Amino acid sequence: MIHYSMVLTTVGNAQLADKLIQLLLEEQLAACIQTMPISSHYIWQGKVCHDQETLLIIKTKQSCYAEIETLIVNHHDYDVPQIVMVPFIDGLNPYFVWINEVTKS
């Protein structure tokens, strides 16, 4: 059985967002990537920080996660980028069929 998920990551600039999106789609690691401007509040190196970022919502198969993580880590400019996988519990079957068709086996 194939399992589907979304992978979430954040970036601090449009150039990196565009680069990651292009690479993920070209490598057939994602079927769809949505972007959203967000305001992030976090603690880094003992300080409270606040930044404007872009959230990338990457729709994919769970079997692609390791390659997605490696690609993001290799191209990201953060020391510790957010990279998390959120599994889909259920969804529209034709949507899952489409994800399966356009991502790596």
Side-chain angles (χ1 to χ4, degrees), residues 16-35 56-60 64 67-68 71-72 75 95 98-99 101-104:
L16 182 55
D18 291 343
K19 180 179 182 177
L20 290 176
I21 290 166
Q22 188 69 32
L23 290 169
L24 289 163
L25 293 173
E26 284 176 355
E27 294 295 319
Q28 295 181 302
L29 295 173
C32 171
I33 303 169
Q34 297 166 314
T35 61
L56 276 62
I57 306 166
I58 303 160
K59 311 310 183 18
T60 190
C64 294
E67 287 183 76
I68 291 170
L71 186 148
I72 293 171
H75 294 93
Y95 185 72
W98 171 72
I99 291 174
E101 289 174 352
V102 300
T103 55
K104 284 184 172 183

Side-chain angles (χ1 to χ4, degrees), residues 56-90:
L56 276 62
I57 306 166
I58 303 160
K59 311 310 183 18
T60 190
K61 291 186 279 197
Q62 289 181 12
S63 60
C64 294
Y65 176 78
E67 287 183 76
I68 291 170
E69 181 183 281
T70 298
L71 186 148
I72 293 171
V73 167
N74 288 340
H75 294 93
H76 213 291
D77 57 359
Y78 291 174
D79 293 337
V80 182
Q82 169 190 302
I83 308 170
V84 296
M85 180 174 62
V86 180
F88 293 143
I89 302 301
D90 205 353

Side-chain angles (χ1 to χ4, degrees), residues 5-6 8-9 11-12 22 42 46 51 62 66 74-75 85-86 91 94:
S5 65
M6 60 184 153
L8 307 176
T9 193
V11 296
Q22 188 69 32
Y42 57 96
D51 287 305
Q62 289 181 12
N74 288 340
H75 294 93
M85 180 174 62
V86 180

